[in-house]
Amino acid sequence: MRIEPAHADDVTALSELNNRFSPQGLTLPRAESWVSNHIDDYRVVRDGHGHVLGSVCLDDYSPSLVELVSLAVLPEHQGKRMGSALIAAAVDLARRRGYPELFAVSFSDNLFQQSGFRFGDINRYPEKRARYAKVSDDEWTVGQYH
């Protein structure tokens, strides 16, 4: 499985993949404009024809803090370790960019724990709270990478 940077022509596919899971509350909706502004922060898995099967993105809050967001894999390709590979790629990208702290908010607790994250307190990240003030308290589970 090869993970690679996303390209500008992936914007629509990335937005659609992410938004496929937002009605269930598994991802936050991402407009194409948001994806386009973050295209260099995305990593993707493609099939043999170049179609996006899975993706992940980094969303920075400051030079010292970044969040792993928009982890999504097409349902028919889940269970093939793509999510784990995408998380590893995001962790590697965050390290190469010099972020000392990486966190994720997810309902996929086991996946993130197996990838090196551990539970943390959302109150440690007031930047996240402020950015997503409309999210209810019962939706917060934070994983910190260590």
Side-chain angles (χ1 to χ4, degrees):
M1 170 179 342
R2 195 178 83 176
I3 309 290
E4 62 184 50
H7 305 290
D9 56 350
D10 295 324
V11 168
T12 298
L14 292 169
S15 178
E16 288 174 357
L17 174 60
N18 180 87
N19 293 342
R20 177 180 198 147
F21 300 98
S22 61
Q24 304 99 315
L26 300 174
T27 59
L28 294 175
R30 300 289 183 207
E32 287 187 20
S33 59
W34 191 94
V35 173
S36 182
N37 288 335
H38 289 82
I39 198 68
D40 294 334
D41 304 318
Y42 272 91
R43 295 297 177 263
V44 299
V45 176
R46 297 180 191 280
D47 67 13
H49 302 288
H51 300 111
V52 174
L53 304 178
S55 66
V56 67
C57 184
L58 293 180
D59 187 16
D60 69 331
Y61 287 79
S62 71
S64 62
L65 180 64
V66 68
E67 181 181 8
L68 185 156
V69 299
S70 300
L71 177 65
V73 174
L74 288 171
E76 59 271 24
H77 293 283
Q78 293 177 3
K80 299 177 182 178
R81 311 269 322 140
M82 283 185 194
S84 296
L86 287 162
I87 291 171
V91 167
D92 179 63
L93 181 60
R95 282 186 180 149
R96 285 188 288 117
R97 289 184 176 175
Y99 289 103
E101 191 161 6
L102 167 68
F103 76 99
V105 177
S106 175
F107 288 115
S108 300
D109 297 340
N110 290 336
L111 175 61
F112 278 89
Q113 286 181 304
Q114 292 169 5
S115 298
F117 286 75
R118 64 180 172 86
F119 288 113
D121 183 357
I122 189 62
N123 294 314
R124 178 178 167 94
Y125 304 106
E127 303 94 332
K128 175 71 175 179
R129 282 275 193 194
R131 192 177 287 181
Y132 297 102
K134 294 179 183 176
V135 177
S136 66
D137 284 344
D138 65 347
E139 295 181 58
W140 293 107
T141 300
V142 176
Q144 299 166 300
Y145 185 75
H146 290 278

